[in-house]
Amino acid sequence: MAVVTGGTSGIGLALVRGLADAGADVVPISRRQEQVDAAADEVQERGRRTVRVTADVNDRASLDAALARTVEELGHVDILVNCAGITKRTPTLDLTDEEWGRILETNLTGTLRACQVFGRHMLERGQGRIINIASLASFVGLLEVAAYTASKAGVAGLTRALAVEWGARGVNVNAIAPGVFRTDLNSALLDGTERGKEFLLRTPVRRFGRVEELAGACVFLASEASSFVNGEILTVDGGFLASGVNQ
């Protein structure tokens, strides 16, 4: 049984679909009920069980309530996937405390908060899988997204720290670092800017990813096939991080 935060759009929804297709019951959670209902419909269309519950990773009480409701209706949670995240491009000298705090609060502290709430349940049961969503920015600097870069470097560090702390207690903690994937939110950037051209040039397979191509990595890390994988950041990037000179 899997819970996916940020599971109603983009990468999160693709992972919800992939887990359901692999046979998991899946609870996609986000802040908006209509989006939760739409994602839950997709889970049920695949013949799997779900719970229709909203939660916000910045609100611990809402995560506690989502866990309680899920356990009440489905019995337990085996898998947590942390997909909730935000970004904004801002020159660092213009970055306000408010913007910095908002991005770090959602991407890093929100991930920690969900790990604490659902991880406690898993540790009590002596088993579980946590899959965080890292980024290329966990490894390399990206222009004018200092807050996002810091938050995702933090997610990578948090993943390793929890793997060390919780691995012996039956909970494996890993992360996926997506490369450049086309979504509804970034298509204009990828197709119409010099930044998009540079992303494409740096990707050796010469195309952007399709979000469904992340599902295999998620299913692997959620399954018994990865029983000895712990503290790993699995990059799915078409070779971006391996890239040096491309022409």
Side-chain angles (χ1 to χ4, degrees):
M1 214 303 298
V3 168
V4 182
T5 71
T8 61
S9 63
I11 288 171
L13 181 56
L15 299 185
V16 166
R17 292 166 176 159
L19 288 166
D21 286 341
D25 298 327
V26 189
V27 177
I29 61 177
S30 69
R31 294 175 297 169
R32 296 177 177 85
Q33 187 66 55
E34 65 274 14
Q35 293 182 344
V36 167
D37 288 338
D41 286 344
E42 293 205 36
V43 173
Q44 291 180 325
E45 287 165 4
R46 288 164 164 79
R48 309 309 305 174
R49 297 182 299 165
T50 190
V51 177
R52 297 167 186 263
V53 59
T54 62
D56 182 349
V57 296
N58 294 325
D59 179 355
R60 184 180 299 273
S62 75
L63 292 171
D64 286 333
L67 171 61
R69 174 92 177 274
T70 300
V71 170
E72 178 184 0
E73 297 196 22
L74 299 181
H76 54 82
V77 176
D78 303 295
I79 302 154
L80 170 67
V81 185
N82 281 309
C83 288
I86 58 174
T87 189
K88 187 175 185 295
R89 181 176 179 179
T90 303
T92 302
L93 290 179
D94 299 327
L95 184 63
T96 64
D97 289 353
E98 186 277 331
E99 183 177 317
W100 171 272
R102 182 169 56 87
I103 292 171
L104 268 290
E105 176 70 15
T106 297
N107 295 1
L108 180 54
T109 309
T111 296
L112 169 65
R113 202 173 279 119
C115 286
Q116 288 176 319
V117 169
F118 290 92
R120 184 184 302 277
H121 167 76
M122 294 176 183
L123 290 166
E124 289 171 351
R125 300 183 66 242
Q127 62 183 42
R129 296 282 192 275
I130 295 176
I131 304 165
N132 296 323
I133 299 300
S135 168
L136 296 176
S138 300
F139 304 97
V140 298
L142 303 179
L143 182 69
E144 296 182 342
V145 285
Y148 179 80
T149 300
S151 72
K152 289 300 186 178
V155 167
L158 176 64
T159 298
R160 289 187 285 265
L162 294 182
V164 170
E165 189 171 346
W166 294 352
R169 299 171 64 186
V171 177
N172 289 19
V173 185
N174 295 288
I176 297 169
V180 186
F181 283 77
R182 184 184 301 282
T183 68
D184 291 340
L185 295 178
N186 69 10
S187 290
L189 167 70
L190 298 184
D191 296 333
T193 69
E194 291 302 311
R195 192 180 183 94
K197 292 177 183 177
E198 183 176 355
F199 275 133
L200 187 60
L201 179 65
R202 288 283 302 277
T203 304
V205 299
R206 287 296 185 270
R207 66 175 177 83
F208 300 123
R210 299 183 295 273
V211 289
E212 58 268 23
E213 291 179 296
L214 290 164
C218 184
V219 170
F220 166 66
L221 291 175
S223 74
E224 283 303 305
S226 66
S227 58
F228 203 59
V229 179
N230 188 38
E232 178 67 21
I233 302 171
L234 177 55
T235 304
V236 184
D237 69 348
F240 185 101
L241 291 179
S243 174
V245 176
N246 280 269
Q247 61 182 2

